[in-house]
């Protein structure tokens, strides 16, 4: 028998486990999507195809409000986070090594390491103090919290792109009489753009998706789509929630696809 | 080309006329140390050099000899640790690359991938704030000069390596710099294209009259293209001179060894005069030898002479040297005959192959070696 060495694909049961894993991952989501088209108000009995739950969701004023708030928050927070992350990436890749550089990486990536619930509680207490002092209860708290949370996700693709960029291009620009700002404006920024857009899309999805931090930070009447869905599910479950979740899923998939295409794009 | 289009870069036409034609670039005791303390590396060690206006000057040496560091110091990508550096009569130490009247052709070309060929070529002039019409006409002229008119709208990723090379040259020449720096620009090309680009570079230099400073580790490239060559090793310049001087009269063992094939012989120095020296070969024959530049060694001492293989020929038993043939290697136009001299040292001579030359000598046969007049070059100790 010709054995060329250890191969994981030839282990008994490998295929079966792989298929089972994929089924576990996607059957619940598929079920959710299928029942969003159910003509009955049941989550377990199929009563024929219908778009009534999509219609109900569309006509639900609250759903529209929280969706717009979620999108607005995601765009604003991810936009600020991307700008900050771009500067951070430039500062950590376009300078000579400095003492404490590893520390800076750790600080930038803090939200990746600190449990979300801890950040949520910390922000709740911290913002409560500020609210008492200033009386301000606007969206600023959510924007700040989401921005901080999105920065590392925006930072990683931007930094990855900067690191693969040919440094001699910036040198060539300087050689051809460009000032540092002109070199950045005409060479670095255009070449970095796919990374910046990818960072923005990733931050956008993360912000859209965040439940824990939003739940702790939001004031009354500041529900986002995920916290609204959570609140609704506590009361009563109708396929309207399936329809909302399906649309939400579609939006996320689009954003992730854009991110993926941008990350693959070569310089 | 009107002189007004020369890049301002911390300089102007006044300084141009004041500076001596001797020194377009004047380098005085220039050093560059990387790192500090125990890990410090002296990449450039007190180099002094004057590059003349309009010449094709080559920095030649093995990798790590400091030639690229010197080029980067001239371009402004690095700042010197000590010493002076003047371009067109003006001290440029402390000025960034965008404030110096020099442009670089990079080893990997470093073309801007998101711009068309034409936009790449016009970049320098745009950064200098030239008017659109002027940028366009200069770009068109450069495209014509490097014969790339048809590909003006392509991106760098859509053209071949040789074409990218031409665009890199055009981009660096478009602002009409005082000096063009070339960092091993031909090393990525295959042999045929390299030969083509060598004559192309010579043509461009003749047509533009710009001073070229060319860095290479390829001695043949240096010999065929340069007006003058500086041979570098370990952060120092060992010898500067025309290709003929460097090849025929190497002053240093490293220079002789790095450029071309060489025989080294230990000989006795009999006498030293202004015109030359007399030495005694191992076989006993006394012959004249050329002195190297600088202080001459004392008579009576043991010195090294260099003999190029093509300056020696097979003779009958009465040559200046005698030895035994070890083997002959056929190279087409010539044959290299490897010999063992009577004192035990090895010697190679090159024999032109022609219809009249006859067969190469058999291994083991005893032969004499005659040396051409002026073939012996004494080395500095």
């Amino acid at each position: 028998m010709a054995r060329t060495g250890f191969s994981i694909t030839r282990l008994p049961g490998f295929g079966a486990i792989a298929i089972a894993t994929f089924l576990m991952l996607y059957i619940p989501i598929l079920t959710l999507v299928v029942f969003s088209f159910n003509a009955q108000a049941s989550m377990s009995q199929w009563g024929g195809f219908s778009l009534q739950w999509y219609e109900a969701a569309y006509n639900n004023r609250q759903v529209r409000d929280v969706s717009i708030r979620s999108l607005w928050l995601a765009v604003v927070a991810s936009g600020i986070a991307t700008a900050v992350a771009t500067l951070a990436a430039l500062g950590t890749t376009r300078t000579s090594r400095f003492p404490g550089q590893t520390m800076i990486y750790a600080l930038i990536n803090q939200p990746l390491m600190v449990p979300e619930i801890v950040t949520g509680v910390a922000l709740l207490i911290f913002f409560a103090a500020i609210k008492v002092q200033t009386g301000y209860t606007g969206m600023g708290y959510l924007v700040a919290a989401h921005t901080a949370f999105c920065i590392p996700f925006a930072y990683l693709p931007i930094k990855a792109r900067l690191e693969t960029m040919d440094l001699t291009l910036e040198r060539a620009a300087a050689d051809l009489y460009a000032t540092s700002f002109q070199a950045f404006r005409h060479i670095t920024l255009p070449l970095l753009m796919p990374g910046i857009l990818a960072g923005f899309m990733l931050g956008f999805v993360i912000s859209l998706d965040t439940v824990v931090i939003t739940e702790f930070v939001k004031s009354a009447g500041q529900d986002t789509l995920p916290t609204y869905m959570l609140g609704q599910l506590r009361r009563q479950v109708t396929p309207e929630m399936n329809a909302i979740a399906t649309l939400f899923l579609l939006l996320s998939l689009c954003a992730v696809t854009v991110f993926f295409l941008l990350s693959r794009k070569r310089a | 080309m009107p002189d007004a289009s020369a890049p301002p870069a911390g300089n102007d036409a006044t300084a141009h006329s004041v500076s001596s034609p001797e020194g377009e670039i004047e380098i005085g005791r220039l050093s560059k140390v990387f790192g500090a303390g125990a890990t410090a590396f002296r990449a450039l060690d007190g180099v002094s050099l004057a590059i003349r206006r309009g010449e094709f000057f080559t920095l030649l040496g093995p990798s790590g000899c400091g030639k690229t560091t010197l080029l980067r110091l001239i371009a402004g990508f690095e700042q010197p640790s000590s010493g002076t550096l003047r371009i067109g009569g003006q001290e440029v130490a402390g000025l960034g690359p965008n404030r110096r009247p020099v442009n670089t052709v990079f080893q990997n070309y470093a073309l801007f991938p998101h711009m068309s060929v034409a936009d790449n070529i016009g970049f320098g002039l745009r950064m200098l704030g030239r008017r659109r019409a002027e940028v366009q006409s200069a770009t068109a002229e450069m495209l014509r000069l490097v014969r790339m008119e048809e590909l003006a709208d392509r991106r760098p990723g859509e053209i071949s390596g040789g074409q990218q090379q031409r665009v890199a040259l055009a981009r660096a020449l478009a602002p009409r710099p005082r000096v063009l720096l070339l960092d091993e620009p031909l090393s990525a090309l295959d042999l045929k294209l390299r030969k083509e680009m060598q004559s192309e570079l010579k043509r461009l230099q003749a047509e533009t009259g710009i001073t070229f400073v060319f860095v290479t580790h390829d001695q043949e490239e240096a010999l065929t293209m340069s007006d003058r060559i500086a041979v570098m090793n370990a952060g120092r310049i060992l010898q500067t001179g025309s290709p003929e001087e460097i090849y025929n009269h190497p002053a240093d063992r490293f220079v002789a060894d790095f450029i071309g094939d060489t025989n080294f012989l230990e000989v006795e120095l009999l006498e030293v005069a202004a015109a030359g020296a007399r030495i005694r070969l191992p076989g006993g024959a006394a012959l004249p030898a050329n002195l190297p530049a600088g202080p001459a060694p004392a008579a009576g001492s043991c010195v090294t002479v260099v003999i190029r293989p093509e300056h020696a020929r097979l003779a009958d038993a009465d040559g200046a040297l005698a030895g035994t043939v070890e083997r002959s290697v056929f190279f087409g136009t010539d044959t290299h005959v490897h010999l063992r001299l009577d004192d035990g040292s090895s010697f190679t001579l090159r024999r032109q192959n022609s219809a009249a030359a006859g067969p190469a000598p058999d291994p083991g046969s005893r032969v004499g070696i005659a040396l051409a007049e002026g073939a012996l070059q004494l080395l500095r100790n």
Side-chain angles (χ1 to χ4, degrees):
Chain A
M1 204 158 120
R3 293 203 50 154
T4 53
F6 177 78
S7 166
I8 195 161
T9 53
R10 255 186 263 145
L11 288 178
F14 175 85
I17 291 170
I19 289 167
T21 309
F22 278 115
L23 291 179
M24 291 263 287
L25 271 174
Y26 289 106
I27 279 186
I29 295 175
L30 263 175
T31 314
L32 177 132
V33 172
V34 167
F35 276 88
S36 73
F37 297 107
N38 197 356
Q40 277 185 24
S42 165
M43 298 295 269
S44 51
Q45 272 196 322
W46 183 248
F49 180 85
S50 158
L51 288 173
Q52 60 168 309
W53 302 115
Y54 287 89
E55 203 188 327
Y58 182 78
N59 290 326
N60 186 334
R61 211 198 146 82
Q62 255 187 313
V63 171
R64 262 149 77 180
D65 284 351
V66 297
S67 298
I68 288 165
R69 187 175 299 115
S70 262
L71 288 174
W72 180 87
L73 183 60
V75 168
V76 172
S78 183
I80 299 172
T82 306
V84 173
T86 304
L87 295 178
L90 285 168
T92 48
T93 56
R94 285 297 185 273
T95 51
S96 50
R97 283 197 67 83
F98 52 90
Q101 197 165 11
T102 318
M103 191 65 195
I104 298 277
Y105 284 131
L107 288 176
I108 292 169
N109 292 322
Q110 172 265 354
L112 295 178
M113 289 171 278
V114 177
E116 225 179 314
I117 187 84
V118 174
T119 312
V121 171
L123 287 175
L124 174 72
I125 297 166
F126 182 64
F127 285 160
I130 296 179
K131 277 178 198 173
V132 168
Q133 291 293 318
T134 63
Y136 172 69
T137 55
M139 286 291 285
Y141 301 106
L142 275 177
V143 169
H146 276 228
T147 299
F149 194 65
C150 289
I151 286 173
F153 296 97
Y155 171 76
L156 291 175
I158 296 171
K159 177 166 171 280
R161 182 135 190 122
L162 268 176
E163 279 173 346
T164 57
M165 203 186 284
D166 185 0
L167 273 176
T168 52
L169 294 178
E170 287 163 28
R171 208 173 275 154
D175 188 60
L176 291 161
Y177 314 109
T179 60
S180 315
F181 177 74
Q182 285 174 318
F184 175 75
R185 159 87 184 70
H186 294 289
I187 307 301
T188 316
L189 194 60
L191 291 173
L192 190 56
M193 215 22 119
I196 292 175
L197 288 176
F200 175 81
M201 291 319 290
L202 201 56
F204 179 82
V205 172
I206 295 294
S207 164
L208 214 55
D209 193 40
T210 296
V211 180
V212 178
I213 285 177
T214 315
E215 194 67 40
F216 280 88
V217 172
K218 73 180 163 81
S219 304
Q222 289 184 349
D223 262 318
T224 62
L225 191 56
T227 59
Y228 169 78
M229 288 166 75
L230 195 63
Q232 287 301 302
L233 287 171
R234 287 205 189 108
R235 275 172 248 163
Q236 102 189 85
V237 183
T238 67
E240 187 187 338
M241 212 35 72
N242 292 34
I244 295 168
T246 303
L247 291 172
F248 193 21
L249 176 71
L250 205 65
L251 179 65
S252 286
L253 279 179
C254 289
V256 171
T257 308
V258 171
F259 162 77
F260 181 72
L261 292 176
L262 288 171
S263 316
R264 268 204 329 183
K265 195 173 162 189
R266 290 266 148 259
Chain B
M1 264 283 139
D3 210 24
S5 70
N11 208 333
D12 54 32
T14 338
H16 199 275
S17 53
V18 167
S19 71
S20 65
E22 265 297 296
E24 185 73 332
I25 299 180
E26 289 165 302
I27 292 164
R29 305 196 55 73
L30 201 65
S31 291
K32 177 65 183 175
V33 183
F34 290 105
T39 58
F41 171 63
R42 192 167 278 269
L44 217 55
D45 191 5
V47 165
S48 295
L49 185 65
I51 297 174
R52 298 172 193 144
R53 187 187 306 163
E55 77 176 334
F56 196 116
F57 192 91
T58 298
L59 298 168
L60 173 67
S63 58
C65 73
K67 57 189 193 297
T68 298
T69 301
L70 182 52
L71 201 74
R72 284 163 168 239
L73 287 172
I74 298 173
F77 301 136
E78 305 275 0
Q79 295 296 336
S81 306
S82 65
T84 59
L85 172 55
R86 299 163 78 82
I87 299 173
Q90 201 214 15
E91 178 64 49
V92 294
L95 292 182
N98 57 325
R99 314 250 334 262
R100 297 184 184 201
V102 299
N103 289 139
T104 307
V105 177
F106 293 86
Q107 190 168 6
N108 65 352
Y109 315 143
L111 296 177
F112 306 130
H114 59 301
M115 293 182 194
S116 69
V117 163
D119 285 345
N120 264 281
I121 295 173
F123 187 83
L125 290 169
R126 285 205 305 280
M127 291 302 110
L128 286 170
R130 293 297 150 75
R131 280 176 298 112
R132 180 185 288 267
E134 189 186 334
V135 174
Q136 277 175 353
S137 71
T139 302
E141 194 196 326
M142 279 301 146
L143 282 166
R144 189 154 33 79
L145 193 66
V146 297
R147 298 170 188 143
M148 290 283 293
E149 295 103 316
E150 281 96 66
L151 301 175
D153 297 325
R154 298 273 191 95
R155 294 287 176 94
E158 299 164 352
I159 58 178
S160 73
Q163 290 166 341
Q164 288 179 23
Q165 167 81 80
R166 287 163 194 274
V167 176
L169 268 165
R171 185 180 69 175
L173 285 169
R176 295 279 155 175
R178 278 175 169 276
V179 181
L180 186 76
L181 306 174
L182 302 109
D183 183 10
E184 307 222 19
L186 307 181
S187 59
L189 303 177
D190 62 43
L191 187 66
K192 188 169 170 289
L193 210 50
R194 193 153 68 223
K195 295 281 175 214
E196 220 174 283
M197 282 310 294
Q198 284 177 2
S199 54
E200 185 82 2
L201 277 177
K202 288 298 283 182
R203 178 180 72 83
L204 285 172
Q205 203 235 347
E207 283 183 28
T208 58
I210 290 171
T211 309
F212 276 35
V213 180
F214 185 82
V215 159
T216 185
H217 63 268
D218 184 330
Q219 44 119 351
E220 191 191 308
E221 206 164 88
L223 290 175
T224 54
M225 297 175 72
S226 316
D227 294 322
R228 286 198 305 149
I229 299 171
V231 183
M232 295 186 68
N233 189 36
R236 293 166 181 275
I237 291 179
L238 300 176
Q239 190 175 359
T240 306
S242 70
E244 293 80 9
E245 278 164 8
I246 298 276
Y247 185 83
N248 289 329
H249 305 293
D252 181 279
R253 192 178 183 102
F254 181 87
V255 175
D257 206 22
F258 190 72
I259 296 169
D261 298 324
T262 311
N263 294 298
F264 294 105
L265 286 181
E266 303 301 320
V267 298
E268 185 193 341
L269 184 58
L270 295 175
E271 58 173 300
V272 178
R278 281 186 77 75
I279 54 100
R280 191 195 303 283
L281 289 173
L287 287 174
N290 303 311
L291 279 169
S301 60
C302 187
V303 292
T304 307
V305 293
V306 172
I307 304 165
R308 295 292 183 187
E310 66 274 21
H311 291 164
R313 62 183 170 79
L314 290 176
D316 298 326
D318 61 344
L321 292 162
T324 312
V325 176
E326 291 200 315
R327 64 199 161 89
S328 299
V329 184
F330 179 69
F331 273 88
T333 56
D334 52 18
T335 298
H336 297 191
V337 183
H338 297 268
L339 304 132
R340 180 70 56 190
L341 298 184
D342 290 344
D343 71 334
S345 53
S346 62
F347 193 95
T348 304
L349 66 78
R350 201 172 289 167
R351 193 162 171 263
Q352 191 79 29
N353 289 331
S354 69
D362 294 324
S365 55
R366 269 197 67 78
V367 291
I369 301 163
L371 301 175
E373 201 166 325
L376 280 73
Q377 172 67 39
L378 220 64
L379 295 182
R380 273 199 303 254
N381 280 345

